[in-house]
Amino acid sequence: MEPQEHQQMLQQVQELEKPTFCLKATVKQAKGILGKDVSGFSDPYCLLGIEQGVGVPGGSPGSRRRQKAVVRHTIPEEQTHRTQVVTQTLNPVWDETFILEFEDISNASFHLDMWDMDTVESVRHKLGELTDLHGLRRIFKEARKDKGQDDFLGNVVLRLQDLHCREDQWYPLEPCTETYPDRGQCHLQFQLIHKRRATEASRSQPSYTVHLHLLQQLVSHEVTQHQAGSTSWDGLLSPQAATILFLHATQKDLSDFHQSMAQWLAYSRLYQSLEFPSSCLLHPITSIEYQWIQGRLKAEQLEELAASFSSLLAYGLSLIRRFRSVFPLSVSDSPARLQSLLRVLVQMCKMKAFGELCPNSTPLPRLVTEALRTGTVEWFHLKQQHHQPMVQGMLEAGKALLNLVQDIVGDLHQCQRTWNKIFHNALKIDLFSTAFLELQWLVAKRVQDHTAAVSGSVSPELGESLFQLYISLKELCQLGPIPSERDRALALDGFHRWFQPAIPSWLQKTYSVALARVQRAVQMDKLVPLGELTKHSTSAVDLSTCFAQISHTARQLDWPDPEEAFMITVKFVEDTCRLALVYCSLIKARARELSAGQKDQGQAANMLCVVVNDMEQLRLVIGKLPTQLAWEALEQRVGAVLEQGQLQNTLHAQLQGALAGLGHEIRTGVCTLAKQLEVGIATHIQKLVGIRESVLPEDAILPLMKFLEVELCYMNTNLVQENFSSLLTLLWTHTLTVLTEVATSQRNCPLASRRLKVVLQNLEICFYAEGCGLPPEALHTATFQALQRDLELQAASSQELIQKYFCSRIQQQVETTSEELGAVTVKASYSASEQKLRVELLSASSLLPLDSNGSSDPFVQLTLEPRHEFPELAPRETQKHKKELHPLFDETFEFLVPAEPCQKDGACLLLTVLDHDTLGADDLEGEAFLPLRSVPGLTGTQEPGEVPQIRLPLTYPAPNGDPILQLLESRKGDREAQVFVRLRRQRAKQASQHAPQPRR
C-alpha cells in the first residue's frame, strides 16, 4: 500500500466515533492478608472501580496518597463493583472478572480496596473463639468501634496508562496507617478491551470472524513477501503482525479457544493455496484439542470447523497421491515436508473435535493406502506416456520399455530407502509393498506383450535391448519379497521364459565383443612389461578385463532353470577357453612381427619373456573360472537334473584342456629361452678344457659364471617366478648333461676334472641363488650326484685314488654281515714311544677248501697299505698250515712305522689269506682290512692296556670291476697306478676262480 493511501484510510478510521474503552479486571486471589477477627482470620471481600479525572501523584505505589475507603468515597456506587466474601481465611481465592468502563486513559486510575466483613456477635460467642491475648486485645478494640463496621485490610491503586494491554501479576496491599505495613498481596489480571467499535466489520460481523479475516490477510501477506524474495516462509508472523493480532484479540476479548480456532481455519485454508510449512497447523490443532468443548461454538462455527477438517483431509490426500512430484527428492527438505504433512493429518484425525464433527470418516491409514495405490498407477501411466517413442518400431519400443522399467526400479529404491520409513513411522503403512505390487503387475503386462511381438532371429541391437530389459526386470524382482514370504504369486514370476528366444543372440554377442577386444588388445600391445613388479604386458590386463566382463555377464544372466543354466555355463566356458587359445596364437604372432628385423637378440628374448608372462597371467585368470562362474552353486542346482559326473566331465574337462594347452605353450616358450642360454653355457664349459694349466680353476670358470649371472639376472627380472623356476630347471638339467659329457671325455685328465669339479660347485651355488633359485631337492638329482662322484674321483691323483680304493674296501667290509668266506682274528696295538705297530695274528676260521682233498694249506700275508705311504715296510707272512680250514697261527709281527701315515684315510693292514700250492700259484682264500686309525694307542699319548681281539670277515674284490680301478687303469702313463691295478686284477681273477660253495 502506498503511504498516501494508508494515511487516508487511517484518517477515515480516526474520524469514526470512538469505541467504549474498558478495563477487564480479574481478581484472582490474595495471600498473607491481616487477620482481623478474634479467631485470627478475616472474612475478606474487595471493592473496585475506576476513578476518572484524578491522577495518582508520582506514578508509583510508594508515593501514592494513602486514603481509607477511597472507592466508597470517590467512585459512584453504580460504578463500584464488589466481590464475594470469603469467610475465615488469610489466603482468599475469588477468580471473579469485572468490566470497568473509562473514557480517558491518561487521567484514569484503578482502585481496589480489601475489607474484612464484620458481623454483630455476642460477647459470649466471641469469648468462645478466643485463642490468645491478641484475640482478647481485638475484643477490646471492637468494643470501642461502631457495631457492624468493616475493617480495612489494604488497597491497590494503579494508573491505567502504566498498564500494558495485558497484565497478570501480584500487587502489594497498601496500608492506610503504618501500624501494619505488611498487609499481604493480591493477584490481579488486567486486559484493556473495547466494545461498540464503529467500523463496518465490527457492526456487521462477530469479533471472531473479523479476527479470522485479519489473520488470513496477514498470513497471505507474509507468504507473498517471502515468495517475492525467493525464500520460504518459516510460519512465524512478523512482530508487527503479531502485535496487531494480539491487540485485536485482546481488545475484542476473544478467548484463547476462539483465537486457536481462527488460526486453524485461516492456516488450513491458506495451506491449500499458498506454500508454507504444514507444521504451522500443529499449534492450533494442539490448542483446540486441549480446550475443546463442543458447546463453546455455535452451529455455524461447528459446521465451518467440520468443513475445514474435510477440506484439509481431501487436500492432504491429493498431495499424498502425487507425493512423487509434490515432494521430489531433488529438493532437500521434501522428506521433512511430507513427514510434517502426515503428522498434521494424523494429529487432526486424532482430535476429539474431528471425531465428533466427522464421525463417519474412513480411518486415515486406509485413506492414505488407497491414495498411494491410486497415485502409483497414475505415476506409472505418466511415465509410460513420457517414454512413448516418436517412431514406432520394435527397437524403439524396447528402449522405451527399458527406460520405463529403470524409472520404476529407481522409484522403488527411493520408496525403500526414504519414503517407506516416513509412511511406516506415521501410519504403519508399507508404501514399498503397495507400490511394488501395483507396479510389477503393470510392468509384467507390457513386457509380456513386447517379448511376444519378437519373432524369428533376434538382431544384435534388439538382443542387447532385450538383455538390458532382462537385467532391469531381475533387479526389479529382487526388490520384492522372497517366495517363501509371499502370500500369492506375482505377475513377474517366471518372466525369464519370455526372453528364452534371445539367449543365442546374447551368447554370440558376448563372444563377438570379447574376440574383438582381444584382437584389438594384441594389436596395440608393444610387448613391454607394465612395471618392475608387473611383468606382463597391456594385452594380458585387457584380456583379464575381458574375461571378467564375460563372468559378469554370466552372473547377470543367472538363468533360473537349472538345466538351461548348465548349458549356458558350458557355452561361456567353451568361449572363454577358445579365446584363451586364440590369444596365445595372436600374441606369439605379434612377437614374431615385432622381432622381425631386430638385430638385438636380447630385445627378442625380452619380448619372448613378456609373451611367456602374458600366457602365465592368462593361465591364472582361466583358473579362476570355477569361482567366477559359481560352479559349486551351479552343481547344487543341477544335481537333480543331470547325470552324476556330467558337470565334472563337461566343465572341468573343458577347463583342464585349456589349462593343458596354455601349459604347453608356456613350456614351449620357456624351452625356447632355455635353448638360447644352453648354447652359451655349453660353449663356456668346452672352453674350460683348453685353458692352459697355469690358470687356476677359480679363474678359469669366471667367464662362465659371469655369463650365467648376467643372463639369469635378466631372466629373473623379465619372467614371473614360476616360469623362471621352470627355466632354471631346464638349464640345470642341460648343464648337468653337458658337464657329464665333458667329464667323460676328460676322464684321463685330472686337471680338467678338477676344473669341472669347481665348475659344478659354483654352478650349484649359482642356481641355488641363496634360496631364490632352485631348492636343494631340485639341484641334487641323481645325475648331479653321479657327476659329483665321478668328478671327485677323476680330479684325484693316483695315490689319492688308491687311498679311496682302500676306504671303499674297508667300508665294504664293515657292511658285510656274513662270514661266508671265513674270518681272521687279530689283536693290534701301537706304541707311540717306540713308534711300533704290534700285530698278533691269532687264527683263521671257516676257510674255503680249495685243494682237491677237500682241505687247504692256508697262510696269511700281512701288508701295510697303501704302499706309497709305507714304502719301506715289506710284506710279512705266517707259517703255512697243512690241510687245515681252521688254522691257529698265534704269531706276532712288529712294524716300525710313524703314527702320522697310520692316521690317514685308507691306511690299513691288509690281511691276505692264501692257500699254498706247491706246483702252481697260491690260491686266494679272501682278504681282510684292519683300519689303522682304529688301532689302540695310535691316538693319544697313553700306552694301550688290554688289547681286544678283532674278528675280521674275509671278502673278495668286486667281480665286475671297481670304478676306481677302471679310472686308474685308464691312466696308462702312471706306473704306480698300473702296478696297483695289475695286483688288484690278479686278486680279482683269483677270487673269480673259487666261487663260495654252500656249507654243510
Side-chain angles (χ1 to χ4, degrees), residues 29-261:
Q29 59 184 326
K31 61 182 179 181
I33 64 175
L34 296 178
K36 291 291 187 176
D37 293 342
V38 176
S39 62
F41 295 98
S42 293
D43 303 320
Y45 68 94
C46 296
L47 297 176
L48 63 153
I50 292 184
E51 183 182 9
Q52 292 285 353
V54 179
V56 179
S60 63
S63 62
R64 295 172 188 152
R65 175 170 52 86
R66 296 188 178 96
Q67 181 180 357
K68 190 172 183 178
V70 65
V71 174
R72 287 178 174 175
H73 295 166
T74 60
I75 300 177
E77 184 176 354
E78 65 273 9
Q79 297 179 12
T80 301
H81 301 268
R82 174 173 172 162
T83 67
Q84 299 293 323
V85 177
V86 182
T87 60
Q88 294 298 294
T89 181
L90 299 180
N91 300 296
V93 176
W94 291 285
D95 202 12
E96 297 184 36
T97 301
F98 305 93
I99 305 298
L100 310 177
E101 296 183 1
F102 62 91
E103 295 179 358
D104 187 1
I105 195 172
S106 61
N107 59 3
S109 59
F110 168 79
H111 290 260
L112 178 142
D113 294 342
M114 189 177 297
W115 296 87
D116 170 41
M117 172 68 74
D118 192 11
T119 58
V120 179
E121 297 176 345
S122 66
V123 175
R124 177 177 295 182
H125 184 269
K126 291 182 178 180
L127 289 175
E129 296 178 353
L130 184 63
T131 58
D132 53 15
L133 292 177
H134 293 287
L136 184 60
R137 190 180 296 115
R138 292 190 192 99
I139 292 175
F140 292 147
K141 184 178 179 181
E142 288 183 0
R144 294 195 299 268
K145 72 176 183 179
D146 297 334
K147 292 183 178 180
Q149 183 179 359
D150 295 340
D151 295 318
F152 180 75
L153 297 177
N155 67 355
V156 175
V157 182
L158 301 170
R159 295 192 305 176
L160 295 191
Q161 65 181 8
D162 292 336
L163 298 177
H164 292 92
C165 188
R166 282 188 180 181
E167 292 280 7
D168 188 350
Q169 59 179 300
W170 289 85
Y171 296 93
L173 292 171
E174 299 293 339
C176 113
T177 66
E178 298 298 334
T179 306
Y180 297 105
D182 184 8
R183 291 175 172 267
Q185 294 177 305
C186 184
H187 185 192
L188 300 175
Q189 186 181 71
F190 299 110
Q191 183 175 341
L192 293 171
I193 65 174
H194 63 258
K195 53 186 178 180
R196 294 189 294 275
R197 188 172 177 84
T199 61
E200 181 179 352
S202 298
R203 289 196 304 267
S204 61
Q205 299 178 4
S207 300
Y208 157 79
T209 306
V210 176
H211 190 78
L212 170 60
H213 293 164
L214 179 60
L215 178 58
Q216 287 180 330
Q217 185 82 12
L218 294 173
V219 171
S220 299
H221 173 74
E222 293 284 355
V223 175
T224 304
Q225 289 297 311
H226 280 82
Q227 288 178 346
S230 299
T231 58
S232 58
W233 184 47
D234 58 2
L236 297 177
L237 292 172
S238 64
Q240 296 86 348
T243 300
I244 291 173
L245 285 172
F246 173 75
L247 292 175
H248 184 267
T250 302
Q251 294 172 14
K252 289 295 185 179
D253 196 20
L254 288 177
S255 66
D256 290 341
F257 174 76
H258 283 85
Q259 291 181 55
S260 299
M261 182 172 169

Side-chain angles (χ1 to χ4, degrees), residues 437-711:
L437 291 175
E438 290 295 326
L439 292 173
Q440 65 91 25
W441 184 86
L442 294 168
V443 167
K445 180 67 172 64
R446 283 146 187 84
V447 173
Q448 195 169 11
D449 292 344
H450 177 72
T451 53
V454 178
S455 59
S457 61
V458 180
S459 65
E461 294 80 7
L462 183 57
E464 177 64 21
S465 174
L466 290 173
F467 183 75
Q468 295 302 324
L469 181 59
Y470 172 82
I471 298 302
S472 298
L473 286 176
K474 270 193 63 181
E475 185 179 0
L476 174 60
C477 290
Q478 288 170 357
L479 292 174
I482 60 177
S484 60
E485 298 178 358
R486 301 195 311 238
D487 56 355
R488 55 179 172 174
L490 298 179
L492 283 176
D493 286 345
F495 76 91
H496 63 280
R497 298 187 185 92
W498 308 337
F499 295 87
Q500 202 166 15
I503 292 179
S505 172
W506 295 346
L507 298 178
Q508 182 59 39
K509 176 71 177 297
T510 302
Y511 177 76
S512 301
V513 171
L515 179 60
R517 291 185 62 177
V518 170
Q519 292 172 339
R520 184 167 59 253
V522 173
Q523 191 60 36
M524 297 177 65
D525 198 348
K526 302 299 182 183
L527 296 183
V528 177
L530 292 176
E532 294 183 3
L533 300 179
T534 307
K535 299 180 180 181
H536 49 266
S537 63
T538 57
S539 63
V541 177
D542 292 339
L543 192 65
S544 300
T545 306
C546 180
F547 286 174
Q549 184 60 44
I550 293 176
S551 300
H552 178 66
T553 302
R555 289 194 300 272
Q556 282 183 310
L557 189 56
D558 191 22
W559 198 256
D561 293 339
E563 192 169 357
E564 294 177 359
F566 172 72
M567 299 306 299
I568 292 172
T569 304
V570 169
K571 178 61 176 174
F572 275 126
V573 174
E574 178 184 344
D575 290 346
T576 304
C577 295
R578 188 193 312 170
L579 286 172
L581 298 179
V582 169
Y583 174 78
C584 290
S585 301
L586 293 176
I587 199 68
K588 289 191 297 182
R590 180 62 175 168
R592 289 192 296 270
E593 177 186 349
L594 294 177
S595 300
Q598 284 279 356
K599 296 182 179 180
D600 185 4
Q601 293 299 319
Q603 186 67 23
N606 187 19
M607 290 184 184
L608 184 56
C609 289
V610 174
V611 169
V612 172
N613 293 335
D614 287 343
M615 290 189 289
E616 180 62 37
Q617 178 67 18
L618 176 58
R619 181 164 64 175
L620 294 176
V621 173
I622 290 292
K624 297 177 182 178
L625 274 181
T627 302
Q628 293 178 339
L629 296 180
W631 287 8
E632 184 175 348
L634 178 65
E635 188 171 6
Q636 294 176 356
R637 289 175 55 196
V638 304
V641 297
L642 292 183
E643 297 179 2
Q644 185 176 4
Q646 186 174 353
L647 186 140
Q648 184 76 22
N649 295 336
T650 305
L651 293 180
H652 289 276
Q654 285 182 334
L655 179 62
Q656 292 305 319
L659 292 176
L662 286 173
H664 174 73
E665 295 290 348
I666 292 171
R667 287 192 299 274
T668 301
V670 172
C671 289
T672 304
L673 289 171
K675 288 178 180 178
Q676 295 178 0
L677 297 180
E678 288 170 358
V679 176
I681 294 174
T683 301
H684 282 84
I685 292 176
Q686 292 291 347
K687 289 181 179 180
L688 287 174
V689 179
I691 298 176
R692 59 184 182 273
E693 296 183 5
S694 60
V695 179
L696 295 175
E698 291 76 8
D699 296 333
I701 67 171
L702 283 178
L704 171 62
M705 301 312 299
K706 186 175 181 180
F707 170 78
L708 280 175
E709 180 182 359
V710 172
E711 294 297 333

